[in-house]
């Protein structure tokens, strides 16, 4: 099968033949912001589950049903 080039690959969009590797400082800062966002998101979900246990239980049941649907 022939090797196809993806048109949405951002590494090919670098001009002037420069190295496609991103700036390490920007990448580290982005990863820190992402990690903090994910921590806060998890904390917010945990708080919502504690504050609204009925809604949290219903959501768990819906998620379990979706998982069962894709297993079989």
């Amino acid at each position: 099968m022939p090797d196809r080039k993806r048109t949405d690959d951002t590494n090919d969009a670098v001009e002037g033949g420069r190295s496609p590797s991103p700036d390490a400082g920007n990448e580290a800062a982005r990863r820190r912001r992402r990690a903090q966002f994910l921590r806060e998101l998890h904390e917010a979900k945990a708080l919502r589950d504690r504050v609204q246990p009925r809604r949290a239980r219903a959501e768990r049941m819906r998620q379990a049903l979706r998982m069962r649907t894709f297993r079989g």
Side-chain angles (χ1 to χ4, degrees):
M1 191 176 257
D3 214 14
R4 294 188 182 132
K5 297 263 303 166
R6 290 179 48 171
T7 58
D8 61 344
D9 192 1
T10 57
N11 289 337
D12 293 337
V14 175
E15 298 175 9
R18 291 179 294 168
S19 174
S21 64
D23 184 38
N26 289 343
E27 184 68 17
R30 186 189 70 81
R31 287 180 188 226
R32 276 193 302 275
R33 286 192 311 270
R34 182 176 185 272
Q36 181 173 359
F37 169 77
L38 292 175
R39 278 192 303 270
E40 290 174 356
L41 179 64
H42 181 71
E43 182 181 339
K45 285 182 178 182
L47 176 63
R48 185 185 62 198
D49 290 350
R50 284 194 306 273
V51 173
Q52 300 175 335
R54 184 181 298 166
R55 182 176 290 177
R57 181 176 181 269
E59 181 59 33
R60 282 194 307 271
M61 298 298 276
R62 283 191 293 273
Q63 180 65 20
L65 183 61
R66 283 194 296 266
M67 290 292 110
R68 268 185 302 222
T69 302
F70 290 111
R71 280 194 195 134

